[in-house]
């Protein structure tokens, strides 16, 4: 889009139907010939892996009343057509971010103006509770206003379907088609207040009870002996996690008070991302001060969690998402096996960029692993398609998201926190720890180590640069990684797995996605995936080797870490 086209597009925003504040904001940018104008209008915000997410402000490439309104009007049109035999119902939740409450009310107004019944949470709530509420209230769709762990200037809009999972094909395409038909003048903002119902404690109570029932056993013995430090990182989890822990019998819980209050500025952290050790520093400092056994921190919308546990030297270490995934899945598989519930009709859900260890681990219990694209909407799809024939045990992905059972159809830091604490309590009672249990899994199944790096490329030029990186890697395949021959190139955009040694090609039976995975003859994997919601490209690395004894774990891990760093240097990604 050239400069004149961008200016013409912007000029539409300085007249009706846009309000005075929006018109003034855009007029100032036009008057000053601001470079920011291009970024605001060079494209329209689109649905990515997590819905629509972006920087707040006026413009088509921003989150605001009108871009949200257009999406909601399009979704309303879709629902009224898809459920023409009844009056559709929608549940809406929102997080702690700036404008989330206002945006949620605006979205509720549009739905109600279109004759759709709305269940709007009375205040901020955890995202997994929205997924639960969709099914509990018999809704046809759900919306949560959130931007997960993005910086404070971001907000977003995630759409769920009637099964409590995020929208997938063909619904997503049909909804986007409806959205594209909508002009800003078409949006109905005048609420029908009679159709908006405020919800709260009744749903909260049911969700807490379900989370405890799905994540913990009935034996509460010694749970009060586990010393837990918890931080909500200024997010929504403070509304549910402490309550669920208490309900489950975990009474020795210490909350990081400086981070208790919901705050969209996230003032005590550079990034409210539990993947990053820095985000949990206040929590780990408190844990060291009081001698806690485990530290748990959740992201702002409470669908992901980071866990720090004590290693063999009694030092707190943050588990990566794949390590937590392995520990949680093994605990669930043990539980199902002990209860005699495994009969060959169960499965675990994973993703193409998560650790291959999950496949090996589940197989040892006689349980299949279904592998989908990145994003929990694909795991929710697995569950829906398997209903009546197969049982879902649990699932996860490397980016610190996990699902325990299927009462929630999205990643859920509430039930995952409960399960992690139960595992820690049992291990402590047995004179062990989560960390030692993890090393035993490595000894049994092989030591798998993964690493993720993100290369940020902002703006129009950045998007083009990321696109070119993918084109180069797709058209000029890498043939060797760390001295190992590349055996396979998985190209999920063309749905082709190519054997680079024999030239043989096979079809990948998954929806198309712009992801490339290289796998060597030794099992080393390197994946490249542009983010669907942020201006960056992610590179995933996975290496593994045998572990002959727990005592040698430190040395083996150091060797794997060194190998990963060598690969990063080899491809100039550091």
């Amino acid at each position: 889009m050239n400069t004149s086209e961008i200016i013409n597009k912007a000029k539409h925003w300085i007249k009706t139907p846009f309000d005075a504040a929006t018109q003034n904001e855009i007029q100032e940018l036009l008057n000053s010939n601001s470079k920011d104008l291009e970024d605001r209008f060079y494209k329209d915000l689109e649905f990515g892996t997590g819905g629509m997410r972006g920087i707040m402000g006026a413009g088509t490439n921003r989150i605001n009343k009108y871009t949200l309104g257009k999406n909601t009007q399009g979704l309303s049109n879709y629902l009224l057509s898809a459920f023409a035999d009844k009056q559709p119902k929608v549940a809406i939740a929102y997080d702690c971010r700036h404008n989330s409450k206002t945006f949620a009310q605006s979205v509720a107004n549009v739905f109600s103006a279109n004759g759709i019944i709305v269940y709007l949470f009375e205040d901020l709530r955890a995202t997994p509770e929205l997924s639960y509420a969709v099914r509990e209230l018999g809704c046809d769709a759900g919306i949560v206003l959130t931007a997960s762990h993005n910086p404070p200037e971001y907000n977003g809009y995630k759409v769920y379907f009637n099964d409590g999972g995020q929208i997938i094909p063909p619904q997503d395409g049909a909804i986007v088609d409806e959205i594209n038909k909508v002009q800003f003048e078409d949006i109905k903002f005048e609420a029908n207040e009679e159709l908006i119902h405020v919800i709260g404690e009744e749903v909260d109570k049911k969700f807490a009870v379900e989370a405890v029932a799905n994540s913990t056993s009935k034996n509460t013995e010694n749970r009060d002996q586990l010393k837990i430090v918890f931080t909500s990182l200024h997010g929504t989890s403070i509304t549910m996690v402490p309550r669920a822990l208490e309900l489950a019998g975990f009474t020795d819980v210490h909350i990081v008070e400086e981070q208790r209050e919901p705050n969209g500025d996230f003032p005590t952290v550079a990034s409210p991302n539990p993947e990053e050790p820095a985000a949990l520093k206040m929590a780990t400092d408190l844990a060291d001060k009081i001698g806690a056994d485990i530290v748990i921190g959740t992201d702002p919308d409470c669908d992901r969690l980071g866990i720090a546990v004590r290693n063999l030297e009694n030092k707190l270490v943050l588990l990566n998402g794949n390590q937590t995934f392995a520990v949680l899945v093994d605990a669930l598989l043990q539980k199902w096996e002990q209860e005699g519930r495994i009969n060959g009709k169960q499965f675990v859900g994973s993703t193409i960029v998560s650790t291959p260890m999950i496949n090996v681990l589940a197989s040892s219990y006689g349980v299949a692993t279904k592998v989908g694209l990145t994003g929990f909407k694909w795991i929710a799809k697995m569950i829906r398609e398997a209903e009546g024939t197969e049982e879902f045990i649990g699932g996860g992905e490397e980016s610190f998201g996990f699902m325990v059972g299927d009462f929630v159809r999205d990643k859920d830091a509430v039930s995952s926190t409960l399960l992690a604490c139960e595992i820690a309590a049992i291990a402590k009672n047995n004179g062990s720890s989560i960390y030692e249990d993890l090393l035993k899994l490595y000894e049994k199944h092989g030591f798998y180590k993964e690493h993720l790096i993100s290369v940020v490329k902002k703006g129009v030029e950045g998007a083009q640069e990321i696109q070119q990186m993918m084109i180069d890697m797709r058209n000029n395949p890498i043939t060797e990684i760390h001295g190992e021959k590349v055996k396979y190139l998985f190209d999920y955009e063309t749905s082709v797995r190519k054997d680079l040694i024999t030239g043989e090609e096979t079809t990948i039976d998954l929806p198309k996605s712009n992801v490339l995975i290289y796998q060597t003859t030794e099992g080393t994997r390197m994946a490249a995936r542009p983010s669907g919601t942020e201006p960056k490209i992610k590179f995933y690395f996975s290496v593994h080797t045998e572990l002959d004894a727990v005592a040698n774990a430190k040395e083996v891990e150091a060797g794997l870490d060194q190998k990963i760093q060598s690969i990063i240097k080899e491809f100039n990604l550091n």
Side-chain angles (χ1 to χ4, degrees):
M1 186 176 287
N2 60 42
T3 302
S4 62
E5 288 174 322
I6 287 170
I7 290 173
N8 287 335
K9 195 174 180 182
K11 283 182 176 178
H12 286 291
W13 284 59
I14 57 174
K15 52 190 177 184
T16 55
F18 302 99
D19 59 32
T22 299
Q23 292 182 36
N24 291 338
E25 186 176 342
I26 298 302
Q27 187 64 63
E28 287 179 14
L29 294 172
L30 286 165
N31 293 343
S32 62
N33 196 25
S34 172
K35 177 73 173 172
D36 188 33
L37 193 72
E38 179 184 18
D39 193 57
R40 287 174 182 244
F41 286 99
Y42 84 95
K43 67 173 184 176
D44 295 346
L45 275 182
E46 298 175 351
F47 281 98
T49 55
M52 187 175 75
R53 192 184 301 179
I55 295 170
M56 290 177 279
T60 61
N61 190 31
R62 291 289 185 269
I63 293 288
N64 53 66
K65 171 183 176 180
Y66 299 98
T67 53
L68 293 176
K70 182 179 179 183
N71 280 276
T72 305
Q73 184 62 53
L75 178 55
S76 296
N77 294 344
Y78 170 81
L79 293 173
L80 291 167
S81 173
F83 301 101
D85 58 336
K86 64 175 183 176
Q87 187 174 19
K89 296 191 290 187
V90 174
I92 302 174
Y94 58 92
D95 70 3
C96 59
R97 288 180 175 272
H98 297 303
N99 301 313
S100 282
K101 185 171 187 175
T102 302
F103 287 155
Q105 185 63 60
S106 180
V107 167
N109 292 347
V110 175
F111 278 128
S112 70
N114 282 276
I116 293 171
I117 297 169
V118 177
Y119 295 98
L120 175 65
F121 275 101
E122 62 188 1
D123 205 344
L124 54 85
R125 289 295 189 277
T127 289
E129 188 171 347
L130 182 278
S131 172
Y132 172 79
V134 168
R135 296 171 71 206
E136 174 64 24
L137 299 173
C139 292
D140 303 294
I143 302 291
V144 60
L145 283 300
T146 180
S148 187
H149 58 283
N150 280 51
E153 64 268 25
Y154 281 76
N155 215 316
Y157 179 95
K158 290 169 73 173
V159 181
Y160 292 77
F161 207 52
N162 55 10
D163 66 332
Q166 292 180 49
I167 56 167
I168 55 169
Q171 287 85 15
D172 58 355
I175 291 167
V176 169
D177 286 345
E178 290 294 340
I179 291 169
N180 290 338
K181 295 175 188 175
V182 174
Q183 302 299 313
F184 289 111
E185 293 80 3
D186 301 332
I187 304 168
K188 299 176 182 178
F189 281 114
E190 295 301 319
N192 180 344
E193 300 288 352
E194 293 182 359
L195 295 180
I196 300 176
H197 307 280
V198 176
I199 57 173
E201 175 60 24
E202 185 178 349
V203 177
D204 297 341
K205 184 177 180 180
K206 288 181 178 180
F207 176 73
V209 170
E210 286 279 338
V212 172
N214 278 271
S215 308
T216 62
S217 64
K218 294 179 180 178
N219 181 12
T220 60
E221 186 179 357
N222 297 315
R223 286 184 190 167
D224 59 349
Q225 300 300 306
L226 185 73
K227 186 169 286 190
I228 303 164
V229 166
F230 171 72
T231 176
S232 58
L233 295 179
H234 304 289
T236 64
S237 62
I238 199 67
T239 65
M240 182 53 64
V241 171
R243 175 179 185 161
L245 285 169
E246 183 179 7
L247 187 62
F250 296 102
T251 55
D252 197 359
V253 179
H254 303 261
I255 296 171
V256 179
E257 293 298 330
E258 299 91 332
Q259 297 175 329
R260 177 194 284 263
E261 192 73 23
N263 187 329
D265 288 322
F266 313 111
T268 64
V269 292
S271 170
N273 186 351
E275 292 182 69
E276 300 172 9
L280 298 186
K281 188 176 187 308
M282 294 183 80
T284 53
D285 284 350
L286 175 59
D288 280 333
K289 181 180 178 181
I290 66 173
D293 302 300
I294 187 171
V295 171
I296 294 178
T298 57
D299 66 345
D301 65 332
C302 189
D303 61 0
R304 303 189 312 144
L305 77 164
I307 299 173
V309 296
R310 297 199 177 274
N311 64 13
L312 299 182
E313 288 80 42
N314 204 37
K315 297 286 179 64
L316 284 168
V317 292
L318 178 64
L319 300 181
N320 67 39
N322 286 303
Q323 291 171 324
T324 302
F325 188 4
V327 169
L328 296 187
V329 163
D330 185 66
L332 289 173
L333 289 165
Q334 277 191 50
K335 183 174 184 287
W336 279 64
E337 185 178 62
Q338 289 165 3
E339 294 172 354
R341 298 168 65 192
I342 295 177
N343 60 10
K345 295 182 179 180
Q346 290 73 36
F347 72 96
V348 166
S350 187
T351 74
I352 58 175
V353 294
S354 297
T355 177
M357 182 180 178
I358 298 302
N359 306 50
V360 177
L361 181 61
S363 181
S364 71
Y365 287 89
V367 171
T369 301
K370 295 189 179 185
V371 180
L373 297 177
T374 303
F376 267 72
K377 63 183 181 181
W378 302 114
I379 297 180
K381 178 177 183 283
M382 296 172 194
I383 298 170
R384 183 167 64 246
E385 291 178 343
E387 284 177 336
T389 58
E390 295 174 279
E391 294 178 287
F392 175 73
I393 292 177
E397 59 184 7
E398 53 73 38
S399 58
F400 289 58
F402 314 97
M403 191 190 301
V404 180
D406 68 351
F407 83 107
V408 168
R409 300 289 176 93
D410 199 3
K411 51 187 178 288
D412 173 13
V414 180
S415 56
S416 299
T417 294
L418 293 169
L419 177 58
C421 289
E422 168 135 302
I423 296 167
I426 292 170
K428 183 177 182 179
N429 190 49
N430 293 334
S432 183
S433 67
I434 281 185
Y435 191 83
E436 193 170 342
D437 287 352
L438 175 63
L439 296 184
K440 289 174 183 174
L441 290 179
Y442 287 149
E443 187 178 27
K444 183 177 180 181
H445 303 291
F447 201 134
Y448 288 76
K449 193 66 188 287
E450 281 75 31
H451 186 70
L452 165 67
I453 61 171
S454 296
V455 179
V456 177
K457 303 284 184 181
K458 291 186 177 180
V460 183
E461 297 84 358
Q464 293 170 344
E465 194 172 343
I466 289 172
Q467 184 181 22
Q468 190 60 48
M469 290 171 76
M470 292 299 290
I471 290 171
D472 291 342
M473 284 185 288
R474 181 169 280 116
N475 295 343
N476 303 292
I478 296 165
T479 57
E480 193 174 282
I481 298 174
H482 198 67
E484 301 171 10
K485 283 187 178 181
V486 173
K487 172 70 170 171
Y488 294 116
L489 170 58
F490 298 81
D491 187 340
Y492 291 89
E493 188 167 77
T494 61
S495 300
V496 172
R497 184 191 77 169
K498 184 172 183 177
D499 187 321
L500 297 184
I501 297 175
T502 68
E504 181 185 1
E505 294 186 354
T506 53
T507 300
I508 299 171
D509 188 21
L510 287 175
K512 293 184 184 300
S513 182
N514 191 17
V515 182
L516 294 171
I517 298 180
Y518 290 94
Q519 182 173 309
T520 73
T521 52
E522 305 299 313
T524 296
R525 289 162 64 94
M526 183 173 82
R529 172 181 167 262
S531 172
T533 55
E534 299 172 81
K536 64 186 179 184
I537 181 170
K538 297 179 179 181
F539 291 92
Y540 305 79
F541 306 90
S542 177
V543 296
H544 72 276
T545 189
E546 297 301 311
L547 176 63
D548 58 352
V550 167
N552 298 327
K554 195 171 184 179
E555 182 182 348
V556 170
E557 183 173 18
L560 293 174
D561 285 336
Q562 186 177 22
K563 181 175 180 178
I564 290 171
Q565 292 306 314
S566 295
I567 295 170
I568 292 171
K569 187 175 181 181
E570 180 180 343
F571 294 100
N572 299 312
L573 296 172
N574 50 352

